[in-house]
């Protein structure tokens, strides 16, 4: 009785009882669009944990068929990652458009070998597709009342098809985080991609320059280019750390991918970086990982030896650009994210 009377007096006096804790903020809806090769698959495993921890709401996974994933098989690998990581019901769709420049065929085969072995899905086929990637993007945007963040880590063909300039659905896009481009650094073309080009290009943008130009013009883009990802090489020491300290299925999936013999050889040669994972951490993780951000007007060069280059130009489209990253901090934040810790 004394407690009840005291509470009544406090309320009358304007002090009141302790306020109930406010509801947790709703996780931001996310569409993940990629070509689903090895670093995209690792990024999808990371996003699964972010969804389970209610930091994001992964609404859809869409796949381009003109990058480093094998058409059809890339969609199967997405289903495999989602199933193994506990999100089998997230809708998946792929696109059928072709890009301007084909990905090096030998590397496409290598990426398929790595993912088939690491995910154990040889001989499996994806469920019949009900929608194309562009249709799934549009459907997801049309059926949400909250603005959506798009994370795009492959050629931008699906987004350009789904959301042309003037589409009313663009109003439903909060922002588009793109892994792509090289602004003040050289490119990363290699092998069959090099002849005829000056290597000022990053591969994702080079694969489909017209799509990148359309996305930059139509959508609010935040770019994570090679300027930032050059600071996050994949090292064997860090892969070993993921194996030793990873506590989730998602961490084990990433470790299985990165310890495949093809990956071990490439990591030893310094070929691989956490390109897509850095874009995901920048979008949904710790702001301190990216050390420099600038607003830059960019054009996407369409033709000639520089086709696919993202060049600063005062006549270009305004893009928010990550220009540097803290490699050590990224490694800690990514591992914490895989383990479900902030």
């Amino acid at each position: 009785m004394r407690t009840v009377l005291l509470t009544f007096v406090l309320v009358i006096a304007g002090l009141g009882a302790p306020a109930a804790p406010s509801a947790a903020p709703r996780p931001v809806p996310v569409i993940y669009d990629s070509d689903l090769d090895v670093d995209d698959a690792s990024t999808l495993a990371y996003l699964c944990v972010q969804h389970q921890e209610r930091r994001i709401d992964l609404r859809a996974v869409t796949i381009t068929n003109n990058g480093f994933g094998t058409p059809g098989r890339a969609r199967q690998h997405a289903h495999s990652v989602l199933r193994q990581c506990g999100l089998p019901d997230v809708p998946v769709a792929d696109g059928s458009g072709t890009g301007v420049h084909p990905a090096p065929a030998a590397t496409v085969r290598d990426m398929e070998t790595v993912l088939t072995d690491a995910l154990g899905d040889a001989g499996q086929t994806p469920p019949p597709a009900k929608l194309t990637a562009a249709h799934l993007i549009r459907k997801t945007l049309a059926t949400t009342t909250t603005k959506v963040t798009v994370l795009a880590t492959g050629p931008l063909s699906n987004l350009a098809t789904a959301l042309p300039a003037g589409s009313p659905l663009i109003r439903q896009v909060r922002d588009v985080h793109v892994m792509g481009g090289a602004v003040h650094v050289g490119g990363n073309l290699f092998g069959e991609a090099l002849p005829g080009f000056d290597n000022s290009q990053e591969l994702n943008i080079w694969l489909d320059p017209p799509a990148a130009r359309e996305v930059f013009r139509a959508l609010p883009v935040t770019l994570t280019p090679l300027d930032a990802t050059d600071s996050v090489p994949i090292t064997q020491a860090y892969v070993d750390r993921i194996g030793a300290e990873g506590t989730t299925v998602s961490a084990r999936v990433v470790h299985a991918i990165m310890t495949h013999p093809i990956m071990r050889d490439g990591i030893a040669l310094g070929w691989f970086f956490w390109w897509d994972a850095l874009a995901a951490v920048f979008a949904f993780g710790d702001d301190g990982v990216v050390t420099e951000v600038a607003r830059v007007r960019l054009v996407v060069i369409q033709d000639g030896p520089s086709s696919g280059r993202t060049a600063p130009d005062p006549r270009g489209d305004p893009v928010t650009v990550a220009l540097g990253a803290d490699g050590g901090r990224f490694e800690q934040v990514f591992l914490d994210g895989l383990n479900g810790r902030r």
Side-chain angles (χ1 to χ4, degrees), residues 9-291:
V9 171
L10 289 172
V11 171
I12 294 297
L15 300 177
S22 58
R26 294 179 62 182
V28 60
V30 171
I31 296 170
Y32 182 39
D33 182 72
S34 79
D35 55 349
L36 223 288
D37 63 26
V38 292
D39 54 329
D40 309 86
S42 299
T43 301
L44 180 56
Y46 169 84
L47 294 177
C48 287
V49 182
Q50 302 311 295
H51 175 95
Q52 290 155 343
E53 294 295 317
R54 293 191 57 77
R55 294 171 194 143
I56 68 171
D57 179 6
L58 185 60
R59 297 286 183 90
V61 174
T62 54
I63 299 162
T64 64
N65 284 332
N66 55 0
F68 284 89
T70 299
R73 290 296 298 159
R75 183 157 60 91
Q76 175 58 52
H77 296 323
H79 281 291
S80 296
V81 172
L82 289 166
R83 185 185 70 251
Q84 292 180 30
C85 296
L87 298 180
D89 296 327
V90 173
V92 178
D94 55 2
S96 56
T98 58
V100 172
H101 305 126
T107 304
V108 173
R109 290 193 296 270
D110 283 347
M111 297 298 96
E112 171 58 26
T113 298
V114 171
L115 290 179
T116 295
D117 293 349
L119 298 173
D121 59 7
Q124 298 179 24
T125 56
K130 296 180 180 179
L131 298 172
T132 67
H135 285 132
L136 180 55
I137 291 169
R138 288 195 289 263
K139 179 182 177 181
T140 303
L141 293 172
T143 55
T144 181
T145 57
T146 306
K147 288 192 174 185
V148 174
T149 290
V150 179
L151 174 64
T153 61
L156 297 178
S157 314
N158 286 337
L159 286 182
T161 301
L163 298 171
S167 168
L169 289 174
I170 289 173
R171 292 194 297 268
Q172 287 298 102
V173 177
R174 178 184 178 184
D175 49 14
V176 181
H177 277 263
V178 173
M179 189 282 122
V183 179
H184 301 302
V185 299
N188 64 348
L189 303 188
F190 64 92
E192 302 158 59
L194 271 173
F197 298 98
D198 60 12
N199 203 19
S200 63
Q201 309 92 330
E202 181 276 331
L203 282 160
N204 282 343
I205 305 300
W206 173 82
L207 288 163
D208 194 349
R213 178 178 59 189
E214 295 308 309
V215 168
F216 285 13
R217 286 178 175 175
L219 292 159
V221 170
T222 295
L223 197 67
T224 302
L226 300 183
D227 306 61
T229 62
D230 282 352
S231 297
V232 290
I234 300 178
T235 66
Q236 191 59 54
Y238 182 56
V239 171
D240 293 344
R241 186 180 169 199
I242 293 173
E245 299 180 24
T247 59
T248 63
V249 173
S250 288
R252 290 193 288 274
V253 166
V254 174
H255 186 256
I257 291 169
M258 295 301 166
T259 53
H260 189 279
I262 290 174
M263 294 302 297
R264 281 189 177 274
D265 290 347
I267 289 168
L269 292 168
W271 288 350
F272 293 108
F273 294 76
W274 294 105
W275 295 291
D276 303 341
L278 179 62
V281 167
F282 183 30
F284 309 118
D286 188 311
D287 289 341
V289 169
V290 168
T291 57

